[in-house]
Amino acid sequence: MRSGKYFAAILIELLLIAILAGGYLADKREPEAVSGNIKIAERNTEEGKEDYIKWVDFTVPCEALDFAYETDVKAHEAGTSLDWVSLLAYTASKWGGEFGKKAMKEMENMASEAMEKADAAHTATDVIDEAGADLKYYPYYKEAYGAILSGMVGSYEAQLADEDGNVDWHSVYGLKAYSPIARGFDYSDYDDFGASRSYGYARPHLGHDMMGQVGTPIIAIESGYVEVLGWNQYGGWRIGIRSFDKKRYYYYAHLRQNYPYQEDLEEGSVVTAGQVIGYMGHTGYSTQENVNNIQTTHLHWGLELIFDESQKESDNEIWIDCYQLSQFLRKHRSSVEKVQGTKEWRRVLQIKDPAVEAYQKEKAEAENSSAKVLLLSAVPLII
């Protein structure tokens, strides 16, 4: 009799565990496919709506980013194209998003094969794409990694100084994204993505903290336009910059008290990668503006991916771990100098980013088109 009661109690307990586990799993955003234990993708599948990526795990280490980037540049110098995003996507699709020793060796072999097979009719990128065509998740990784990295490498014009300090403009192909911390300013960091936060409500840390001194110049990582500027009770004084292709939203938070931004910065301003946009501080954790309630001076920067505008300001936001990306960007830090008589710093060497020029041209054409429509609508119809 007693054993029967124990058996019934065990069954009830198992049933409750199953119900709780089912509710927990239902509440998590799980991917539609899994390779090993790696999340691959979750896509919108609602009828009548465009399919788009809803989840990305960015687990590419700095070592892999370095190799893919350097291979891309070497291929360009050799007269062909080897897109670093394609190389990373190929490796990830073969190894489920992991980049261990075997995966790194696979990436090196693919890079060598692509360069060997490249000819006048086929670039090294074409070779990688053809190899990736046989891999189920290659299109996903290429789209996901492209959303993160596509604006960081390319051709642009840059001011370079020679050994005598003479500055001149040069055509450059390479990294046109910058570390968010200016050259010459010390900082410390570690991988803190997902750590718990409790102010306001319990939540994971969806960004990367870089600890330093108050007033350290903060740099625009990529060219774009200011989408958000002002106070937020969690981030304090913060800046939100959107990439021109609208795929990336860069979030810079906890900026300096009293003088957080460059004086001429406002919502809608166009910024160029490497430009000083603000200054490190410890504002935030207050509904009252301009309050230092953050104990440690640091920059919090985050990168949100946007495949559909419905993901902005929603429960379906995609924030990625930026730690390895921050390590990669250390190779490119913007040199700055103090603007005498002010609280500001400015970059020393300028660049001309074609993405900025294209955006400004498109914006001017749109404004001219709107002006013509208004002008025509104001002309009375003569019969």
Side-chain angles (χ1 to χ4, degrees):
M1 188 73 172
R2 180 174 295 179
S3 61
K5 288 182 179 179
Y6 283 146
F7 181 71
I10 291 171
L11 285 177
I12 292 171
E13 187 173 349
L14 289 172
L15 180 61
L16 287 172
I17 291 172
I19 292 171
L20 289 171
Y24 173 76
L25 291 174
D27 188 56
K28 293 184 74 64
R29 288 177 279 171
E30 291 297 335
E32 70 174 12
V34 174
S35 174
N37 63 344
I38 303 300
K39 293 181 179 179
I40 299 298
E42 182 182 355
R43 306 188 75 97
N44 183 66
T45 56
E46 293 181 41
E47 187 176 351
K49 290 190 176 182
E50 184 181 352
D51 187 22
Y52 57 87
I53 292 175
K54 294 178 67 181
W55 186 264
V56 175
D57 275 338
F58 187 64
T59 56
V60 183
C62 181
E63 179 188 9
L65 292 169
D66 279 334
F67 177 81
Y69 165 69
E70 289 166 5
T71 303
D72 185 320
V73 174
K74 289 176 182 177
H76 181 81
E77 292 172 348
T80 187
S81 166
L82 194 157
D83 176 30
W84 70 317
V85 172
S86 297
L87 186 57
L88 291 167
Y90 173 83
T91 308
S93 59
K94 289 273 287 189
W95 294 89
E98 293 295 328
F99 286 81
K101 289 184 178 179
K102 291 183 179 179
M104 289 296 295
K105 186 63 178 178
E106 177 99 35
M107 182 161 62
E108 292 173 10
N109 292 339
M110 183 71 257
S112 297
E113 180 183 341
M115 289 297 291
E116 289 172 3
K117 292 184 177 180
D119 55 32
H122 297 84
T123 66
T125 302
D126 294 332
V127 177
I128 297 173
D129 286 340
E130 289 169 5
D134 296 328
L135 301 175
K136 183 176 181 180
Y137 298 116
Y138 179 70
Y140 161 73
Y141 277 113
K142 188 165 183 178
E143 183 180 355
Y145 288 178
I148 300 167
L149 304 170
S150 62
M152 295 191 175
V153 174
S155 298
Y156 60 100
E157 299 290 317
Q159 286 184 326
L160 301 176
D162 61 21
E163 295 179 354
D164 297 323
N166 300 313
V167 176
D168 201 2
W169 286 95
H170 295 267
S171 295
V172 176
Y173 180 87
L175 191 59
K176 60 176 183 176
Y178 289 78
S179 167
I181 305 296
R183 181 184 295 277
F185 289 83
D186 293 333
Y187 69 89
S188 62
D189 65 343
Y190 59 93
D191 194 349
D192 54 348
F193 187 80
S196 62
R197 294 291 185 270
S198 59
Y199 173 78
Y201 62 98
R203 64 197 187 281
H205 184 232
L206 299 177
H208 179 58
D209 289 347
M210 304 176 80
M211 281 65 73
Q213 299 296 314
V214 171
T216 295
I218 302 305
I219 304 300
I221 296 169
E222 183 185 347
S223 300
Y225 59 91
V226 178
E227 191 169 74
V228 170
L229 189 78
W231 181 264
N232 175 281
Q233 67 167 309
Y234 302 100
W237 292 123
R238 89 291 193 219
I239 305 170
I241 295 177
R242 193 78 171 264
S243 62
F244 295 128
D245 64 4
K246 297 184 179 292
K247 293 289 187 182
R248 293 167 296 288
Y249 175 74
Y250 293 91
Y251 181 71
Y252 308 82
H254 307 313
L255 302 180
R256 181 173 60 184
Q257 188 181 48
N258 298 323
Y259 206 100
Y261 324 117
Q262 289 294 75
E263 187 176 20
D264 59 350
L265 210 64
E266 59 186 24
E267 289 187 9
S269 295
V270 174
V271 300
T272 302
Q275 174 182 332
V276 178
I277 55 174
Y279 302 93
M280 187 183 292
H282 52 110
T283 59
Y285 283 15
S286 173
T287 55
Q288 181 181 345
E289 287 190 2
N290 206 33
V291 173
N292 284 329
N293 271 351
I294 301 295
Q295 293 184 351
T296 304
T297 300
H298 70 279
L299 167 71
H300 166 106
W301 84 271
L303 179 54
E304 180 185 2
L305 304 183
I306 303 154
F307 297 94
D308 186 88
E309 284 301 316
S310 66
Q311 293 174 308
K312 282 286 291 175
E313 306 295 334
S314 75
D315 293 332
N316 299 314
E317 294 176 348
I318 303 174
W319 295 89
I320 66 165
D321 189 338
C322 301
Y323 176 70
Q324 295 295 335
L325 199 54
S326 293
Q327 306 312 298
F328 171 71
L329 291 173
R330 285 187 305 180
K331 65 170 78 261
H332 204 204
R333 298 177 68 180
S334 185
S335 297
V336 298
E337 60 185 4
K338 190 76 171 63
V339 180
Q340 296 302 318
T342 74
K343 295 182 178 181
E344 297 195 339
W345 292 73
R346 63 187 172 203
R347 72 187 305 167
V348 174
L349 300 172
Q350 307 294 322
I351 71 167
K352 295 177 184 177
D353 187 352
V356 172
E357 297 172 2
Y359 175 79
Q360 291 175 326
K361 181 180 179 181
E362 182 180 352
K363 186 178 180 181
E365 289 174 349
E367 290 173 351
N368 289 337
S369 179
S370 298
K372 288 178 182 178
V373 170
L374 287 173
L375 182 61
L376 288 173
S377 65
V379 177
L381 182 63
I382 300 175
I383 301 178

